[in-house]
Amino acid sequence: MERKEIVEKTIHFVKEKLAGDSSGHDWWHIFRVWNMAKKICEKEGGDLFLIEMAALLHDVADWKFYENEDDGLQVIFDFLEGLALDKTLIGSIIDIVKNVSFKGAGVKDKMVSLEGKIVQDADRLDAIGAIGIARTFAFGGKFGNEMYNPEINVKLHDSFEDYKKDKGTTINHFYEKLLLLKERMHTNSAKQIAKKRHTYMEVFLEQFYGEWESLR
Ligand code: ADP
Ligand code: NI
């Protein structure tokens, strides 16, 4: 099968899997990450096909959708085997998908390959800036978290277990993840884009607290 056809089949598969999601992990998130990853690849290099496949599939196995991460990875594995892809390539794709997620402020990233770093950067760029802000509030609403509660403190999680089960506020999520991402970008291309998006979030928070404080 031609690579172009494989990418098209993957798009179809992902659209079906994530259809109707309202937590900020819908098809258009995937579309943005896929295109951002291609853009970064143009500047930074890496195997474009691997980058495209991993970007398209990166959220299919997300821990928020499957009780057990391995169940999600198995779904991806079966899909790729069905396309008769090379075993090494399947392994590389699964490896990226497995390591792409942010797992807490104090938990180190384990991405090794350039392709994985590019996909992770692209995913994280979509978590910050105006789109990142919108996604975060969409996610918070969907999972029943409070928007803001000045009585709940920010928590910098040292383990994935803690991070996963914590139901903090959406504003706290900025400190627990979003504002940390600028420093955790791998490629120079992503670092540059992140700067502007980071500043935009700081301005947003300043305005938010300004409005809140004006009521006291
Ligand atoms: P990753 O892409 O690193 O796996 P997630 O899928 O956990 O990240 O998160 C993607 C986006 O979902 C975040 O950038 C954020 O917008 C939102 N999100 C995740 N967890 C929370 C949370 N606890 N509160 C608010 N938003 C969240
Ligand atoms: Ni994602």
Side-chain angles (χ1 to χ4, degrees):
M1 212 184 299
E2 295 256 339
R3 289 186 161 188
K4 195 162 171 273
E5 198 185 340
I6 294 174
V7 169
E8 268 159 23
K9 280 198 190 314
T10 308
I11 291 172
H12 184 78
F13 170 74
V14 172
K15 272 188 179 167
E16 225 164 52
K17 280 267 166 238
L18 301 179
D21 173 87
S22 59
S23 74
H25 298 81
D26 55 309
W27 159 249
W28 293 109
H29 163 63
I30 308 303
F31 178 83
R32 292 188 300 268
V33 172
W34 172 43
N35 281 295
M36 181 62 85
K38 283 199 277 188
K39 229 174 91 157
I40 300 176
C41 172
E42 268 174 35
K43 295 216 178 93
E44 308 275 344
D47 176 344
L48 179 63
F49 183 57
L50 172 56
I51 289 173
E52 286 195 72
M53 292 299 287
L56 287 169
L57 291 164
H58 86 272
D59 269 340
V60 169
D62 200 284
W63 55 270
K64 284 176 248 56
F65 305 121
Y66 289 94
E67 294 247 322
N68 177 347
E69 193 197 19
D70 287 340
D71 292 349
L73 294 174
Q74 188 64 44
V75 170
I76 295 179
F77 186 83
D78 293 345
F79 168 71
L80 294 174
E81 267 215 320
L83 294 176
L85 281 201
D86 176 77
K87 284 270 184 301
T88 321
L89 180 62
I90 296 184
S92 306
I93 296 171
I94 300 266
D95 219 46
I96 296 176
V97 172
K98 222 157 83 178
N99 289 305
V100 79
S101 250
F102 181 86
K103 294 192 162 72
V107 184
K108 276 216 171 93
D109 293 319
K110 286 196 290 194
M111 200 63 96
V112 210
S113 65
L114 171 63
E115 288 81 2
K117 287 177 178 169
I118 289 176
V119 173
Q120 194 166 45
D121 278 359
D123 190 29
R124 290 177 170 181
L125 284 172
D126 208 55
I128 60 177
I131 290 176
I133 294 172
R135 288 181 69 218
T136 301
F137 284 99
F139 182 104
K142 163 105 181 169
F143 287 90
N145 300 343
E146 278 185 277
M147 176 180 86
Y148 179 50
N149 181 341
E151 291 167 1
I152 299 180
N153 292 328
V154 168
K155 201 169 162 210
L156 297 177
H157 307 93
D158 286 328
S159 79
F160 184 36
E161 283 313 306
D162 270 3
Y163 176 70
K164 201 158 50 168
K165 67 170 194 276
D166 196 4
K167 276 183 78 72
T169 70
T170 300
I171 288 290
N172 282 2
H173 193 66
F174 282 76
Y175 302 93
E176 290 162 358
K177 174 178 178 189
L178 310 189
L179 293 168
L180 308 175
L181 294 180
K182 176 172 70 88
E183 296 303 320
R184 290 173 72 152
M185 295 291 167
H186 305 284
T187 64
N188 283 330
S189 314
K191 280 180 192 162
Q192 279 196 355
I193 303 171
K195 260 190 219 155
K196 220 174 131 188
R197 296 188 182 190
H198 183 92
T199 306
Y200 187 80
M201 291 193 294
E202 287 178 332
V203 172
F204 168 80
L205 288 168
E206 230 168 84
Q207 174 78 19
F208 187 97
Y209 295 129
E211 291 176 18
W212 193 280
E213 291 300 323
S214 71
L215 299 170
R216 280 177 193 261

